[in-house]
Amino acid sequence: MVNGVLYLILYYLCGVLGTRGCRFCLFSDTNFYNPSLFYKSQDDLNNSSTYTYYPWHYYYLLITNANMIIANVDGADGPINEKKYLKAQALTYRAYSYTMLLQLYGNRWQDSNNGEGKSVVLRLTPDDPKALPLSSQKVVYEQIYKDLDEAIKLFQESNYKRGTTNYLIDASVSHAVYARAAITKQDYTVALKEAGLAKKDYKLMGTAAYKEGFATPNSEWIWSSYGALDETLHYFSYQAYIAYNSSSSIVRTRPTRISKEFYETIPTTDLRRELFLNPTGYDAKTYNATTGEADSKSPMDVETRTKYPKLLSNAKVAAFMQFKIAANEMIGVGHLNHFRASEMYLIEAEALHFLGRDGESAKVLEDLTKGSGRDASYTCTKSGKDLFNEIVKYRGIELWGEGFDWFDRKRWSIEISRKNVKEGGNYNVASAVTIAPTANNKWTWRIPQKETDYNPNI
């Protein structure tokens, strides 16, 4: 066993914070019930807001722990292969954390002056002085690539296998982080290569597994957070904010729903359409047209509860509510996926399109959608802008509720447009806003005041 102090640091990194207990690793737009953050997207300009400060603090906490392991594990007592395995995990955590920080606090790559624009503080050792300047995006991405290259090499040399412990990191996770970082950087050749390596040992889930609630790892989960009653975040967990059967008052009183407009673009032959409550055919007089909520004991209410017996008796039923994501235990306990093979297919499709290989890109979409049984009738012959729109659409369909929409729209420079009921949508009036790609500092979060007070070199 490696030196006890380092092992405890790794346990803290991989355990309580990194992947066993903390559902905020993904930092998705489904993790915070705060309308001002993602509905209006104003807090990203407020450098004293808790919501701006939290992810900065969280990811640098992971980086600090990773740096301690990277700097000291080689000199610790213990088997060399175990030390290599621990160091590889720490390197991947650091690369993952910087990837997330760049997406939030860095400009879009196309707005970064080819990476010369300043982004975040690059801290790489436990002895770094507090006064450090911001590094350019180019330099931070170079470090991410370097960390992942070394991690993959160490994983191979260690010959360690994680087995069924999906919350641990292995080489496939390093490749998945690599692919996500590269697609965000618009480095399409690298993204294509790494996505293929990340998914090669992961089989797309079948149609039955797709309806099982996304709370337990299956054949296509590459990396996830552990979730069980012995380690739960109670009302602060991901499932407590989104799972249709959660006992939290947030979900019971305000069911999580898909955009009506987006739902209507999903083909009727696609099984993913079945994961949302379609109000078509129900008497509109039995549910509130503004809120979508069904009257108690109405046909919509009764039939939905019969179809989904896990739905709590005191939970509301509403048009377009989701049944994709469930909780395994209450209040909202379940494993939280961070990377699935399906995301890697979509990264491949996007990379191939921008590399001018539209035919291959369309084939990847077919492999994901038709080949997996998600929609047995799906075909794609599109190219150019139409193909890009198809990729955007099918990322939305496949990854709904998993925390990608805001990041994707920022990356693609596509506006968020939400309509209320009178406008043909299903958002409430407060949430029905349009946020242009140029708004709010181009969706680039301000460096928190807590950092600038601490670090005078920014």
Side-chain angles (χ1 to χ4, degrees):
M1 180 62 67
V2 172
N3 176 282
V5 174
L6 288 176
Y7 186 79
L8 286 174
I9 291 173
L10 186 81
Y11 179 80
Y12 185 66
L13 177 66
C14 298
V16 178
L17 280 174
T19 53
R20 282 182 66 90
C22 188
R23 279 29 168 232
F24 295 137
C25 237
L26 184 64
F27 196 74
S28 70
D29 52 358
T30 54
N31 280 344
F32 288 88
Y33 187 76
N34 174 39
S36 64
L37 182 63
F38 283 108
Y39 287 116
K40 296 184 179 179
S41 194
Q42 295 295 327
D43 272 323
D44 48 7
L45 299 182
N46 182 355
N47 66 355
S48 62
S49 166
T50 301
Y51 300 103
T52 308
Y53 159 72
Y54 175 79
W56 183 276
H57 165 77
Y58 175 72
Y59 287 114
Y60 275 109
L61 194 59
L62 293 182
I63 289 165
T64 298
N65 282 279
N67 286 344
M68 183 66 73
I69 296 166
I70 294 164
N72 293 289
V73 69
D74 289 344
D77 296 330
I80 186 66
N81 61 331
E82 186 175 343
K83 291 192 290 183
K84 288 182 176 181
Y85 180 64
L86 299 181
K87 188 174 184 178
Q89 290 187 80
L91 285 162
T92 306
Y93 268 107
R94 187 165 75 181
Y96 173 76
S97 297
Y98 277 120
T99 298
M100 297 303 292
L101 287 166
L102 283 177
Q103 290 182 93
L104 293 166
Y105 300 95
N107 286 328
R108 302 177 183 95
W109 182 256
Q110 60 265 39
D111 296 328
S112 71
N113 188 25
N114 200 31
E116 296 299 329
K118 301 300 183 183
S119 56
V120 300
V121 180
L122 190 59
R123 299 187 179 276
L124 299 175
T125 76
D127 301 321
D128 281 345
K130 69 176 184 180
L132 286 175
L134 296 175
S135 293
S136 69
Q137 285 201 43
K138 180 179 180 181
V139 168
V140 180
Y141 274 116
E142 286 173 352
Q143 187 63 48
I144 290 169
Y145 282 21
K146 181 180 177 181
D147 281 354
L148 293 170
D149 285 335
E150 185 178 358
I152 292 164
K153 176 176 176 289
L154 289 171
F155 277 127
Q156 293 170 343
E157 291 175 356
S158 73
N159 200 32
Y160 250 65
K161 306 296 180 184
R162 70 176 182 182
T164 58
T165 50
N166 195 258
Y167 56 82
L168 294 180
I169 289 177
D170 64 5
S172 62
V173 179
S174 302
H175 287 300
V177 175
Y178 218 142
R180 191 182 290 176
I183 202 70
T184 305
K185 183 178 178 287
Q186 298 180 329
D187 189 353
Y188 299 118
T189 299
V190 172
L192 178 62
K193 173 190 172 185
E194 295 298 328
L197 292 169
K199 73 179 178 61
K200 68 182 180 66
D201 294 324
Y202 295 87
K203 181 181 178 182
L204 291 172
M205 70 178 88
T207 56
Y210 211 98
K211 299 177 181 180
E212 289 177 352
F214 281 75
T216 303
N218 58 38
S219 63
E220 73 170 67
W221 283 35
I222 298 173
W223 184 37
S224 63
S225 286
Y226 176 85
L229 283 173
D230 62 337
E231 292 186 28
T232 173
L233 294 178
H234 303 285
Y235 287 103
F236 301 99
S237 68
Y238 167 74
Q239 279 84 3
Y241 282 77
I242 192 170
Y244 75 85
N245 63 327
S246 169
S247 60
S248 72
S249 60
I250 292 168
V251 176
R252 287 187 292 103
T253 59
R254 293 179 289 272
T256 309
R257 296 181 287 169
I258 192 173
S259 159
K260 172 180 178 289
E261 297 165 274
F262 184 62
Y263 172 81
E264 290 172 347
T265 70
I266 304 174
T268 57
T269 52
D270 196 310
L271 75 87
R272 292 165 291 194
R273 186 182 172 100
E274 300 171 20
L275 301 176
F276 304 94
L277 176 53
N278 185 352
T280 302
Y282 291 109
D283 186 347
K285 296 179 180 179
T286 66
Y287 67 92
N288 187 306
T290 300
T291 66
E293 294 173 6
D295 294 344
S296 178
K297 307 301 181 182
S298 68
M300 180 191 288
D301 182 85
V302 172
E303 291 173 19
T304 300
R305 294 182 191 281
T306 301
K307 185 175 181 180
Y308 297 99
K310 290 183 179 180
L311 188 63
L312 300 183
S313 59
N314 60 348
K316 292 182 178 179
V317 170
F320 303 106
M321 69 183 292
Q322 71 88 19
F323 294 97
K324 173 182 176 178
I325 298 162
N328 292 333
E329 303 284 352
M330 296 302 110
I331 299 166
V333 177
H335 299 263
L336 171 61
N337 166 72
H338 299 306
F339 290 91
R340 292 196 286 125
S342 58
E343 181 195 350
M344 300 300 114
Y345 277 82
L346 290 159
I347 288 175
E348 285 181 322
E350 183 177 341
L352 285 165
H353 165 65
F354 283 108
L355 290 170
R357 296 157 64 180
D358 281 2
E360 294 173 75
S361 175
K363 176 63 166 55
V364 171
L365 287 181
E366 289 186 356
D367 289 343
L368 171 62
T369 304
K370 181 178 182 178
S372 67
R374 286 154 167 75
D375 185 348
S377 64
Y378 178 79
T379 59
C380 183
T381 58
K382 296 179 179 179
S383 61
K385 181 64 174 178
D386 289 340
L387 178 59
F388 173 72
N389 290 338
E390 187 83 345
I391 293 167
V392 170
K393 172 182 172 179
Y394 275 86
R395 272 189 72 95
I397 294 173
E398 176 64 24
L399 302 175
W400 185 94
E402 297 180 57
F404 290 89
D405 192 55
W406 185 87
F407 292 111
D408 284 345
R409 288 179 179 273
K410 176 178 178 177
R411 174 164 60 88
W412 293 322
S413 197
I414 296 177
E415 71 176 17
I416 292 174
S417 179
R418 295 168 173 162
K419 296 179 180 179
N420 62 36
V421 173
K422 290 182 178 180
E423 297 168 330
N426 63 328
Y427 285 92
N428 63 44
V429 173
S431 303
V433 296
T434 296
I435 307 172
T438 54
N440 303 340
N441 197 33
K442 296 184 178 179
W443 302 13
T444 303
W445 293 21
R446 298 294 190 192
I447 303 299
Q449 183 178 338
K450 286 180 181 290
E451 174 67 27
T452 56
D453 287 347
Y454 167 81
N455 179 359
N457 277 13
I458 295 180

